[in-house]
Amino acid sequence: EVQLLESGGGLVQPGGSLRLSCAASGFTFSSYAMTWVRQAPGKGLEWVSYISDSGGLTYSADSVKGRFTISRDNSENTLYLQMNSLRAEDTAVYYCAKNYLRGRNFFDYWGQGTLVTVSS
Amino acid sequence: AIQLTQSPSSLSASVGDRVTITCRASQGISSALAWYQQKPGKVPNLLIYDASSLESGVPSRFSGSGSGTDFTLTISSLQPEDFATYYCQQFNSYPITFGGGTKVEIQ
């Protein structure tokens, strides 16, 4: 059974940093690209960042470029999102999601999400 | 970035109704479109990919169609468990984008 378990969310002041983790199990993690998607309270889904199966290729939304860094440790089956210079508008539930197949960038499994609140 | 416009943003329907949701892309995306269902407090669930392929385990009352810029999600006979918000997502190019969502409510 595929499982994705996010952690690391919480309350942080504007300008602060957080690192989110997503522990994966139930599939060959190193064979799949992974993605972070966020959802602000009461709002829709927003794609945040993508990383290829090897970790050698990444993409990020303009809204987070230069502030957020996606990475992965295939030996530990874990996905990360380092978030710096956080802003109030980054407040959201952050989901990690498994990409369907190589080159097929939609998402067949999602974690339960971790809430990030940026507030003073 | 490719913009996806969903319509309507919300609708009220009754059990047994046929429901159609539209997603329009700001430029052609071939068939690189997926649909998700999200119930309150739950994670999104993949329904349709490649515009018309039904994800394994999804009831056959859900169907998708379209290519290029215009796409539809149809629920042939609405069931109580289908009341939720539905999102389209394009994966033709980065940045990946989602539609604004369509909330399906009980009439």
Side-chain angles (χ1 to χ4, degrees):
Chain A
E1 180 192 5
V2 172
Q3 290 194 338
L4 299 169
L5 183 62
E6 301 96 337
S7 60
L11 175 63
V12 61
Q13 292 188 340
S17 297
L18 278 178
R19 188 176 83 155
L20 306 184
S21 300
C22 172
S25 61
F27 65 104
T28 305
F29 182 70
S30 59
S31 295
Y32 291 89
M34 298 291 293
T35 294
W36 288 98
V37 176
R38 68 184 180 183
Q39 187 168 35
K43 302 297 184 181
L45 301 170
E46 180 188 11
W47 172 77
V48 174
S49 196
Y50 158 96
I51 188 166
S52 63
D53 51 5
S54 67
L57 183 62
T58 64
Y59 297 109
S60 291
D62 285 346
S63 58
V64 307
K65 204 168 289 183
R67 300 188 298 123
F68 291 11
T69 302
I70 190 171
S71 62
R72 65 191 295 162
D73 184 338
N74 284 345
S75 67
E76 296 289 334
N77 292 345
T78 303
L79 175 72
Y80 300 101
L81 186 67
Q82 177 67 44
M83 304 187 296
N84 298 330
S85 303
L86 282 160
R87 307 167 180 167
E89 55 264 36
D90 296 318
T91 294
V93 173
Y94 284 73
Y95 298 103
C96 67
K98 171 185 166 292
N99 287 48
Y100 190 76
L101 283 173
R102 175 172 288 190
R104 314 303 308 286
N105 295 318
F106 54 92
F107 318 114
D108 55 353
Y109 289 94
W110 298 62
Q112 289 302 305
T114 187
L115 177 62
V116 172
T117 303
V118 184
S119 174
S120 56
Chain B
I2 296 172
Q3 296 181 10
L4 297 180
T5 303
Q6 284 184 239
S7 60
S9 56
S10 65
L11 64 91
S12 294
S14 300
V15 173
D17 284 353
R18 182 181 182 88
V19 169
T20 299
I21 299 168
T22 296
C23 178
R24 175 162 289 175
S26 60
Q27 63 190 76
I29 59 171
S30 186
S31 296
L33 190 94
W35 290 95
Y36 300 87
Q37 176 194 66
Q38 187 178 32
K39 297 179 181 180
K42 302 295 186 181
V43 303
N45 181 48
L46 176 66
L47 300 175
I48 301 283
Y49 61 92
D50 292 344
S52 60
S53 296
L54 192 68
E55 170 67 345
S56 176
V58 174
S60 59
R61 62 181 180 272
F62 291 93
S63 64
S65 64
S67 67
T69 60
D70 294 312
F71 302 86
T72 59
L73 173 70
T74 300
I75 309 172
S76 60
S77 177
L78 197 66
Q79 297 302 300
E81 60 268 32
D82 300 337
F83 292 95
T85 300
Y86 294 83
Y87 295 95
C88 57
Q89 175 232 324
Q90 69 80 20
F91 52 96
N92 181 74
S93 63
Y94 282 92
I96 284 172
T97 48
F98 290 90
T102 296
K103 186 173 184 179
V104 177
E105 299 176 300
I106 301 172
Q107 188 167 48

